[in-house]
Amino acid sequence: MFLKLAFRQIFKNRLFSFVNFTGLAIGLAFCFLTFIWYQFEHSYDRHYPTADRLFRMDYVINFTGSAFTLTTTPTPFQPLLKDFFPEIENSARLFSRNISLRVPGNHREFELENAYFADSTAQQIFGFEVLHGDPERALHTPFSIILTDKSAERFFGSENVLGEQVLLANQGPFTVGAVVRSMPENAHFQFDFIAPFKNIPDVEPEFARENVRNVLVNNKLASYANTYILLRPGADPAAVNARFKDFIQKNGIPEMRDKQDFKLISVRDIHLKSEAQDEPVPAADPNYLKIFALIGLLILGIACINFVNLSTAAQLSRGKEVGVRKVLGSGKWQVIRQMLGETFLLGLPAFFTALVLVKLFLPKMAAFFGRTPDFSFSENWGTTALFFGIFVVACLLAGIYPAIFASKFRAVDMFRGATGGSGKNKNWLAKTLMTLQFTVAVALLAGTGIILKQLDFLKNRPLGFDREMVLGVPLFSPNINSNFSPGDQNLRNRTNAFEEKLLQNPKISAVTMASALPGTGAVNHPFTTDKIKLEDGVVLPAISVDYDFLKIFGLKIIAGRDFDKSFGTDHISGYIVNQEACKSFGWATPEEALGQNISRGAKGNRDGKVVGVVNDFNAQSLRTGLQPLILEVSPGMFTRFAIKIAATDVGETQKFIENTWRESFPEKVFECSFLDQTLADAYAEDNRFAKLIALFAAVAIFLSCFGLFGMIAFAVRQRTKEIGIRKVLGASVASVVGLLSKDFLKLVSVSILLGSPVAYFFMKKWLADFHYRIDLGLAVFLMAGLLAVAIAFLTIGFQSFRAAVANPTDSLRSE
């Protein structure tokens, strides 16, 4: 009987039922999606068999008065760890780089971003899932290689490829000695292959190999490899951290002992708690994650508020039904049970619809986050059960108030037509809930506006250099060789010949080389002067550039001169510094900097003089602001070309460059990207965050309008006869619409006053991460408020207009 009555009411109030169903399904779906993502972000690096005692050793450097943390460490320290720390069971270094891979015989070639070289102990430490072969033996054997199952399929079209061979940077061949399971998406690093650590120099040009070996064995300052440590069962990581200073005092560089430190971080904490600057997979911001989870709950809360408001409005039409049931003997709890039953009956299809929406939209999360959780309802019964529990709680919260509201109707009042209270407190709960809905919506709208405005500000901000139509082409990926290479005349001749061929094309106006392009970062090096010693720890960003670098990027010399081949010494001892660097070195004016002695690294490493001062420009991210920068001409460090091309026939010009590249550098897979796009990609995470907040804002507004729709329907039903009487007495349509709208627009105005400070608080914290940022003026909040009012008025106006133009005789007929 209860089910029959419930179905009858659902079909009788089809519009309310549809809106309730849709709102609850969307709210549940968003709540479930946020929970899955929140759970995924907290599941990083739990899959290792040794995860509970596996740590990464981070490198803490305190130069120029400020400490920063790196994930990579100087390689000579790792072999010394086990003898110094009895708590350490094992350790391994992992060195990552980009590299070209070729499969001999089938002419297949790939440019890989996740190429790794590791000590043979890596398999013992990480416990990779072995599919074929022996990974530990493969890492013991020179010129062997471990592939992942996905890489094997990609390179050879098959998983079992033991004994197959590949070339790395045209060196080798390397023989496949093992195939392991690919790392899951919730891992803090990914790899395409792992080769023996001892083979790192063998994939470099022959002229650079001895220098690279020397760096790996002896350089205790520069950091290149991640060092992972497996502690013995029961060992205390805090005890190891406390003794790192003693370890450095014994084994470090005498002049730098007070500038260096190490610390352990559990691999399970890396994704959410890392403070390092160079994570291979971007770490999550715990604050963003909390905001994300909170917004998901607020979306569900908005859906529940809709359920309360719409269900309460629907109960008003059932006054006489409830009165009859009470006259026939139904008690209060029977009415409550009936109403809650209808809520669950309507909510159950919404629950299953939400699960379908989750399944549909889960793959789309990659558009916002760049990765997708591997989630299945059938394999995650606990999570599915939790979702059902959330649904039950949501239905109870959404249905209990309308049920109690209906159960309090007195039979005598129902037959008189009285259905609720009176006075100023009438419907106070519904109005409060609606105000809360729009507060959330306004805050999200304002937040979206601020994020988009900040990203547009960064996109259009002058960087101090010309970035238009500059094509970046890597010669090889930045690595040990590019930072310490002595250079090679044969390679220099090849790059010069390549430049000359390109410049024969009228669509190419200029070509230069550098270790990094402006805006993409720079490598930090210790510098000394006549007054600054190595132990002072002055470490500044530096870029190695070719002679025409300043010209192609439109940089201006403000004192001294540009690099010039005619002097014959600039590639040996010339330096150009920017204005910020002058301040760091203690030179009062650019003119004072000219002729000053300056050395990179220890004395004798590269001694020279300042020949010019260039204008300040953003060599790194706009998050950091202007920084000191040193320019030098060291061809051995060049890693990429910068090619200035015309804006016409771009595709044809790129094809010409690629064909010329294949003739000049057959050992390297051709790849290119425009500098302006590369700079824009640096803010990909922020763009994804903006899209996510915009989506949440749209959903919040959409659901809030559903709630508003319920509220105006509630008011219209309560005031049907009043509206009829006003129309009979001559009230205009506009006056009736104004009568019904003004109270709701007041609530929306209150929401704007409440939501704007919330948005201001969170957005101010977000903007603090940027050195260059917009001012939080009133304009964005006013626009968000006006948009909320406009959307609300459209929703209110539709219902109000329908009520205002209705025939008053229909509403007064029962009198």
Side-chain angles (χ1 to χ4, degrees), residues 565-593:
K565 288 182 181 180
S566 65
F567 282 83
T569 56
D570 282 353
H571 67 288
I572 300 172
S573 58
Y575 283 104
I576 291 177
V577 300
N578 70 350
Q579 295 160 280
E580 288 292 320
C582 291
K583 298 175 186 176
S584 296
F585 288 129
W587 302 324
T589 64
E591 288 71 22
E592 185 183 336

Side-chain angles (χ1 to χ4, degrees), residues 369-389:
F369 302 105
R371 51 198 185 279
T372 304
D374 183 15
F375 181 85
S376 169
F377 290 111
S378 59
E379 296 176 6
N380 294 270
W381 285 106
T383 302
T384 306
L386 178 62
F387 288 168
F388 186 75

Side-chain angles (χ1 to χ4, degrees), residues 768-802:
D769 289 338
F770 297 88
H771 182 82
Y772 302 107
R773 50 185 178 264
I774 60 172
D775 294 325
L776 283 176
L778 291 175
V780 174
F781 300 101
L782 288 174
M783 288 297 295
L786 289 173
L787 183 59
V789 169
I791 294 172
F793 185 77
L794 288 174
T795 306
I796 295 168
F798 172 73
Q799 279 284 76
S800 300
F801 184 78
R802 285 186 60 192

Side-chain angles (χ1 to χ4, degrees), residues 599-655:
S599 295
R600 173 169 51 78
K603 279 288 184 181
N605 194 354
R606 192 185 191 276
D607 296 338
K609 293 182 180 294
V610 176
V611 300
V613 178
V614 71
N615 65 287
D616 286 332
F617 64 95
N618 289 97
Q620 306 193 64
S621 167
L622 286 176
R623 289 180 181 273
T624 60
L626 291 173
Q627 291 188 324
L629 184 68
I630 315 297
L631 303 179
E632 60 179 273
V633 181
S634 295
M637 294 184 178
F638 294 163
T639 65
R640 59 200 60 241
F641 290 93
I643 306 170
K644 186 82 169 180
I645 68 174
T648 57
D649 300 324
V650 173
E652 183 181 328
T653 306
Q654 284 186 250
K655 191 65 179 176

Side-chain angles (χ1 to χ4, degrees), residues 41-61:
E41 292 287 274
H42 282 81
S43 70
Y44 265 66
D45 298 299
R46 301 300 197 268
H47 60 279
Y48 309 112
T50 56
D52 61 327
R53 50 195 184 96
L54 180 58
F55 296 80
R56 187 182 67 198
M57 188 172 83
D58 284 355
Y59 187 26
V60 183
I61 311 172

Side-chain angles (χ1 to χ4, degrees), residues 241-484:
N241 281 333
R243 295 184 61 212
F244 270 131
K245 276 295 185 184
D246 296 334
F247 174 75
I248 292 173
Q249 288 296 319
K250 179 180 178 181
N251 300 296
I253 304 170
E255 299 91 343
M256 307 303 293
R257 286 171 180 165
D258 295 332
K259 307 293 184 183
Q260 296 174 290
D261 198 3
F262 300 111
K263 67 177 180 180
L264 298 184
I265 179 171
S266 171
V267 292
R268 295 179 297 184
D269 292 336
I270 287 174
H271 188 61
L272 291 177
K273 298 181 180 179
S274 174
E275 299 175 352
Q277 299 178 357
D278 55 341
E279 288 291 348
V281 173
D285 187 325
N287 293 323
Y288 283 0
L289 202 55
K290 290 174 184 176
I291 293 171
F292 178 58
L294 176 62
I295 292 175
L297 290 174
L298 288 174
I299 293 292
L300 178 60
I302 289 173
C304 290
I305 290 171
N306 287 348
F307 220 108
V308 170
N309 290 345
L310 295 173
S311 297
T312 303
Q315 305 311 331
L316 293 175
S317 64
R318 303 178 63 182
K320 291 182 173 61
E321 173 201 334
V322 174
V324 170
R325 292 180 61 192
K326 286 197 169 186
V327 168
L328 294 177
S330 293
K332 176 180 178 180
W333 289 107
Q334 287 178 301
V335 175
I336 291 176
R337 186 174 60 184
Q338 173 68 32
M339 301 302 176
L340 283 177
E342 292 175 15
T343 298
F344 278 95
L345 191 62
L346 182 61
L348 200 58
F351 171 72
F352 288 112
T353 301
L355 297 185
V356 173
L357 290 174
V358 168
K359 199 66 177 176
L360 290 174
F361 285 102
L362 200 56
K364 307 294 184 184
M365 294 181 80
F368 294 105
F369 302 105
R371 51 198 185 279
T372 304
D374 183 15
F375 181 85
S376 169
F377 290 111
S378 59
E379 296 176 6
N380 294 270
W381 285 106
T383 302
T384 306
L386 178 62
F387 288 168
F388 186 75
I390 292 173
F391 156 71
V392 171
V393 172
C395 281
L396 285 173
L397 292 174
I400 194 69
Y401 172 72
I404 294 175
F405 176 80
S407 70
K408 288 184 176 180
F409 291 167
R410 292 193 306 166
V412 64
D413 292 333
M414 296 302 98
F415 294 119
R416 289 176 178 170
T419 56
S422 60
K424 294 183 179 180
N425 292 327
K426 190 176 183 179
N427 305 329
W428 64 270
L429 178 60
K431 292 180 180 180
T432 301
L433 294 177
M434 197 204 75
T435 303
L436 178 60
Q437 281 183 313
F438 270 89
T439 298
V440 174
V442 168
L444 290 173
L445 281 173
T448 301
I450 291 168
I451 293 170
L452 293 176
K453 190 176 179 182
Q454 170 66 12
L455 294 178
D456 185 66
F457 172 75
L458 294 178
K459 180 181 178 181
N460 296 297
R461 179 178 174 79
L463 299 175
F465 61 89
D466 181 9
R467 56 182 168 178
E468 300 301 323
M469 300 309 296
V470 175
L471 198 65
V473 181
L475 178 61
F476 39 71
S477 62
N479 53 57
I480 297 174
N481 175 42
S482 63
N483 290 325
F484 293 97

Side-chain angles (χ1 to χ4, degrees), residues 512-775:
T512 191
M513 294 193 72
S515 60
L517 301 188
T520 64
V523 176
N524 291 325
H525 291 280
F527 283 92
T528 60
T529 65
D530 291 337
K531 296 181 179 180
I532 297 173
K533 309 304 177 187
L534 185 64
E535 53 267 29
D536 293 329
V538 175
V539 176
L540 302 177
I543 300 177
S544 180
V545 303
D546 214 343
Y547 287 95
D548 47 1
F549 181 87
L550 273 65
K551 179 182 177 182
I552 197 172
F553 290 108
L555 301 173
K556 294 180 174 57
I557 291 290
I558 58 176
R561 62 175 176 83
D562 193 358
F563 293 125
D564 191 334
K565 288 182 181 180
S566 65
F567 282 83
T569 56
D570 282 353
H571 67 288
I572 300 172
S573 58
Y575 283 104
I576 291 177
V577 300
N578 70 350
Q579 295 160 280
E580 288 292 320
C582 291
K583 298 175 186 176
S584 296
F585 288 129
W587 302 324
T589 64
E591 288 71 22
E592 185 183 336
L594 300 179
Q596 295 281 355
N597 293 318
I598 183 174
S599 295
R600 173 169 51 78
K603 279 288 184 181
N605 194 354
R606 192 185 191 276
D607 296 338
K609 293 182 180 294
V610 176
V611 300
V613 178
V614 71
N615 65 287
D616 286 332
F617 64 95
N618 289 97
Q620 306 193 64
S621 167
L622 286 176
R623 289 180 181 273
T624 60
L626 291 173
Q627 291 188 324
L629 184 68
I630 315 297
L631 303 179
E632 60 179 273
V633 181
S634 295
M637 294 184 178
F638 294 163
T639 65
R640 59 200 60 241
F641 290 93
I643 306 170
K644 186 82 169 180
I645 68 174
T648 57
D649 300 324
V650 173
E652 183 181 328
T653 306
Q654 284 186 250
K655 191 65 179 176
F656 168 78
I657 296 171
E658 182 176 357
N659 292 335
T660 308
W661 178 273
R662 292 181 183 276
E663 297 172 3
S664 304
F665 306 104
E667 72 275 15
K668 171 70 172 67
V669 175
F670 176 79
E671 54 179 336
C672 65
S673 60
F674 282 99
L675 178 58
D676 55 354
Q677 184 58 51
T678 299
L679 298 178
D681 290 344
Y683 305 101
E685 288 295 319
D686 296 303
N687 280 310
R688 280 196 282 263
F689 181 60
K691 290 179 182 177
L692 184 66
I693 294 298
L695 175 64
F696 276 133
V699 172
I701 280 289
F702 178 73
L703 292 178
S704 296
C705 287
F706 268 18
L708 192 58
F709 181 88
M711 284 295 293
I712 194 67
F714 185 97
V716 168
R717 287 194 178 187
Q718 279 189 313
R719 307 175 72 171
T720 299
K721 292 182 176 61
E722 177 192 343
I723 293 170
I725 293 171
R726 287 178 179 271
K727 290 291 295 293
V728 170
L729 295 177
S732 66
V733 172
S735 66
V736 173
V737 171
L739 175 71
L740 294 171
S741 302
K742 63 178 182 180
D743 289 339
F744 296 105
L745 292 178
K746 286 179 183 177
L747 296 180
V748 175
S749 300
V750 172
S751 299
I752 295 171
L753 294 176
L754 294 175
S756 297
V758 173
Y760 180 88
F761 174 78
F762 285 109
M763 287 297 98
K764 189 174 183 180
K765 291 184 67 175
W766 180 73
L767 288 171
D769 289 338
F770 297 88
H771 182 82
Y772 302 107
R773 50 185 178 264
I774 60 172
D775 294 325

